[in-house]
Amino acid sequence: GESLIVRLCLVLVCMFRAGEGSLQDEIFFVLLCLEDNCHLFHEEGVFNYSTMLLREDVDLLLLGAREAVYALDLRNISKKLSLVKWEVTEKQKRDCQNKGKDPKTECKNYIRILHQTEDKRIYVCGTNAFDPECDYMSYADGTLTLEKKREDGKGKCPFDPFQRYASIMVENDLYSATSINFLGSEPVLMRSSHTSVRTEFKSSWLHEPNFVSMAQMPESFMSEDGDDDKVYLFFSETAVECDCYNKLVVSRVARVCKGDLGGQRTLQKKWTSFLKARMDCPGLESQLPYLIQDAYRLCDPRRQWKDCLFYAVFTPQSETTDLSAVCAYRVSDISRVFAEGKYKTPVPVETSFVKWVMYSGHVPVPRPGSCIDNVARKEGITRTLDLPDRTLQFIKDRPLMDQAIQPIGGKPLLMRRGAPFTRIVVNQVQAADGAQYSVMFIGTGWLKAANHDGEMFIIEEVQLFEPPEPIKILKFSNVTGQLYAGSDSGAAQMPLATCGRSSSCMDCVLARDPYCGWDTVVRECVFLSDSTRGLIQSVKAGDASLCPNAGAVNPTNLSVLSQGNLKLRCPSPSNLAKTTWERDDDALTPSTRLQILEDGLLILNATNSEGGRYRCLSEERSKAAVYKTTLADYRVSVADPAGSNDRTTLLEARVDVALLLVSLLALLAWNFYNGHLPLPWNCMKKNIEQSPESQDAARSAPAEGKPLVAGADNGRGNHRAEESGGPNALLPPLQFIDDESEI
Ligand SMILES: *[C@@H]1O[C@H](CO)[C@@H](O)[C@H](O)[C@H]1NC(C)=O
Ligand SMILES: *[C@@H]1O[C@H](CO)[C@@H](O)[C@H](O)[C@H]1NC(C)=O
Ligand SMILES: *[C@@H]1O[C@H](CO)[C@@H](O)[C@H](O)[C@H]1NC(C)=O
Ligand SMILES: *[C@@H]1O[C@H](CO)[C@@H](O)[C@H](O)[C@H]1NC(C)=O
Ligand SMILES: *[C@@H]1O[C@H](CO)[C@@H](O)[C@H](O)[C@H]1NC(C)=O
């Protein structure tokens, strides 16, 4: 048990240390999805579940894997409703193999695109043994069918299953960012429609990019300038502007206008509105910029698009650090840089070297890269085809903005060591206090953190897949209120919160989960939207004093014989709480006669001075205060063995000398556990380096090792006694000293 105790200690002790730093306000780690709220899906022999389409209109989750697309029940993804196999033919496999690709991995069909079309069909693309192909699927009468239309997938879907890509469907037009050739060396951002438009093949446009995600923004809506809707693309690429010896990769955001048709002569069938800017997520320790891995658009439906935010996860490009970060960006900030910022321009220096500097010369009108707006229309320019050559030539040579996009607050919202962040979903919730919270769900470590007024605290960490696997896709449905995640070996579905894990009001409130509140009538911690009653919740302060008094504890009268032993029981109510003892209203000082155990207090070889009042208190810490509740109240009297008045003594337990030794060991362990004794290592450092499993262990030691099948009894109630080798586990059955005074 000792190594486990130490590990728990690491997390518990360091929990507060982390709070003192600037990284997080407070950290709470709780356990995993329980069997009854977490659904899993995977099929024997099928891998790479990395594409998803939520069809809330028909309660379906379409899940794309290697050579297969599944139609699953959106409410319980363990229920497979239908399946389409889309395998490559033997000939395709041979051709692929002849081109030097691995027949067992690369020469298969990896489903990469699943989008809904306007006529409610599904557009699907796969790598198809390095020969990408697209098709339509429909779902009717419980059956998914592939229409076998066999469209060319070049430029829509990558050839290489290991290459990253991004795509979005906007009004039946597919916007895709991927490589358009077999070698994967010609990147494009293109729109496939009857007027297809793509990027110029030029390193100043896209330079060895890694595409990450796309989002659309309804910027034409109530626009005073008559602006157009935009499609944003997030990626990382080798920086052309870097004045450096080595290759430097940077994060980017680019955008195009939906109405772009390309130019008439210059930029024919190419974007006239492709603009890009560097995205910074500063404040990280590495010299090299961190690279964007995913971005999520969060728009409040009651507000305008300018208030939308992009949340993005970043990981380091060098292997010397394992710090991941989340930065948030205002769409209005991005939009301002594109609409008003300066451009960068290449200047030749010496013979073959080009330096990129801020352009300070004349900028043609209409402004290069802008959408067709009222100003352009006044000039008689109603389509990009009408744009003058000087505007087009300008943007063709200078798609990069001089200014970089800075995150809100100028620094990351969250930084964390350990498994790199792969995906992010952000959800807004109005808590019981009326305040809005943005809750981030981050793959891979499967972290949930709430953000309020720039203050960040991690609520929950869940390991979805065992062994832990990178999350390849993460989606949220606001209709079912569930999260859907995919990895190489399967898919999982889980709710935004598992309130039922908190068994007491105090636990419920101190967890500070904006989704959960304590219902005083049913005496349960419930999901906010599941209750019509006013719930007790305190997300900001973690103020558990709002909880009704759990009921005063009745004092218990106990008597112990002089020189006898007595154990006063007091199991900890939760693993967030710390128990302490008071004697006659002062903190109890342990001594040879008074020894604090994990689940109680031992009075050994009692003398008259051990008589008195002993109270066991539980202490839970939150931002606002330390909450103490009395768990047990004992009035102990010491009886003289010679006397006969107190013969009806109630002896809970007596311990012999061998047992005493064991107790002392347990006491030592307990002191380590509580951090009373100094620990022989740098605490902060360990905390940061802990693995996801050890964080889980903080609140869910019993579930360790088999997180997905953790039973309901793995609640936060009593893991200490089970796992930390507490006295219950260590002590042999109590042996009674043959005391002459016994009865
Ligand atoms: C597909 O899954 C297998 C098995 O986990 C994994 O080894 C492989 O790297 C995955 N392939 C891709 C393209 O993600
Ligand atoms: C989910 O579906 C699976 C497979 O059909 C079934 O065994 C399980 O009981 C379902 N769970 C719930 C909560 O409905
Ligand atoms: C879910 O989100 C969509 C758009 O994001 C919105 O139109 C819809 O009203 C939302 N539904 C619910 C139940 O909140
Ligand atoms: C405990 O002892 C006190 C006096 O020492 C007495 O007032 C009280 O009634 C006793 N309680 C019980 C439950 O016996
Ligand atoms: C108990 O305490 C008495 C003095 O109060 C001492 O003489 C005796 O040795 C102690 N017994 C043990 C087992 O420590």
Side-chain angles (χ1 to χ4, degrees), residues 88-362:
V88 296
T89 61
E90 277 308 313
K91 179 177 180 303
Q92 282 171 321
K93 196 185 270 184
R94 262 197 319 276
D95 289 351
C96 173
Q97 194 173 358
N98 290 342
K99 290 177 198 158
K101 300 297 173 189
D102 183 346
K104 289 218 172 57
T105 57
E106 294 165 305
C107 298
K108 300 232 178 199
N109 190 20
Y110 293 80
I111 305 302
R112 285 292 176 257
I113 285 177
L114 281 174
H115 291 299
Q116 183 177 334
T117 61
E118 281 184 333
D119 61 3
K120 306 264 176 197
R121 286 188 300 166
I122 298 140
Y123 194 64
V124 55
C125 305
T127 60
N128 200 37
F130 264 80
D131 183 20
E133 206 172 81
C134 297
D135 211 326
Y136 289 87
M137 287 190 308
S138 45
Y139 181 77
D141 306 323
T143 311
L144 195 62
T145 30
L146 193 66
E147 297 183 0
K148 304 216 165 74
K149 293 245 185 340
R150 323 201 83 190
E151 279 185 7
D152 184 7
K154 284 185 193 61
K156 301 173 183 171
C157 174
F159 286 66
D160 183 346
F162 290 98
Q163 211 173 43
R164 292 206 58 185
Y165 66 99
S167 72
I168 191 174
M169 189 79 116
V170 181
E171 292 159 16
N172 262 2
D173 290 344
L174 180 76
Y175 290 75
S176 53
T178 185
S179 287
I180 201 164
N181 64 340
F182 181 85
L183 291 175
S185 56
E186 192 180 334
V188 282
L189 162 63
M190 72 176 208
R191 183 184 64 217
S192 312
S193 54
H194 53 276
T195 48
S196 287
V197 181
R198 48 176 283 192
T199 41
E200 183 80 3
F201 182 40
K202 243 180 134 176
S203 66
S204 56
W205 283 51
L206 292 169
H207 194 199
E208 300 169 359
N210 222 347
F211 299 113
V212 158
S213 83
M214 276 194 203
Q216 68 153 324
M217 204 52 74
E219 299 184 24
S220 68
F221 185 69
M222 287 172 58
S223 166
E224 285 167 15
D225 320 319
D227 203 352
D228 193 5
D229 293 347
K230 316 248 172 31
V231 170
Y232 287 81
L233 168 67
F234 298 90
F235 61 107
S236 57
E237 66 170 352
T238 304
V240 282
E241 74 270 30
C242 178
D243 204 0
C244 42
Y245 182 71
N246 286 321
K247 252 207 300 209
L248 178 78
V249 184
V250 294
S251 304
R252 299 270 201 224
V253 55
R255 68 103 169 105
V256 291
C257 305
K258 220 175 68 183
D260 197 341
L261 302 171
Q264 191 67 264
R265 284 182 303 275
T266 309
L267 292 180
Q268 213 180 73
K269 294 192 175 170
K270 304 282 161 61
W271 299 108
T272 66
S273 58
F274 180 83
L275 284 176
K276 63 178 182 179
R278 197 179 79 223
M279 275 181 109
D280 286 346
C281 186
L284 300 161
E285 62 194 14
S286 160
Q287 297 295 309
L288 298 172
Y290 274 52
L291 301 183
I292 189 165
Q293 297 301 333
D294 193 24
Y296 185 82
R297 187 192 85 157
L298 183 71
C299 294
D300 186 333
R302 292 160 304 179
R303 302 170 72 173
Q304 51 167 339
W305 66 266
K306 280 196 170 76
D307 296 319
C308 290
L309 303 177
F310 284 117
Y311 283 79
V313 289
F314 289 81
T315 59
Q317 64 181 293
S318 77
E319 307 222 317
T320 54
T321 171
D322 60 350
L323 200 59
S324 296
V326 178
C327 276
Y329 303 85
R330 280 189 202 94
V331 172
S332 52
D333 288 347
I334 300 177
S335 167
R336 191 176 324 111
V337 168
F338 289 137
E340 296 162 20
K342 300 270 192 197
Y343 301 84
K344 266 203 197 308
T345 189
V347 223
V349 260
E350 295 161 12
T351 41
S352 61
F353 192 69
V354 173
K355 204 177 157 76
W356 285 76
V357 297
M358 188 177 90
Y359 178 82
S360 45
H362 173 73

Side-chain angles (χ1 to χ4, degrees), residues 8-58:
L8 284 169
C9 160
L10 270 179
V11 180
L12 286 176
V13 171
C14 300
M15 188 162 91
F16 303 109
R17 290 274 184 91
E20 287 157 18
S22 58
L23 291 193
Q24 284 110 29
D25 172 54
E26 269 181 62
I27 309 173
F28 294 122
F29 300 111
V30 292
L31 62 143
L32 321 153
C33 44
L34 306 172
E35 261 177 346
D36 58 353
N37 67 16
C38 192
H39 301 295
L40 288 172
F41 177 81
H42 84 106
E43 249 188 12
E44 204 60 42
V46 180
F47 299 96
N48 314 103
Y49 300 83
S50 53
T51 323
M52 277 182 186
L53 171 63
L54 303 181
R55 283 289 302 268
E56 284 140 341
D57 54 334
V58 283

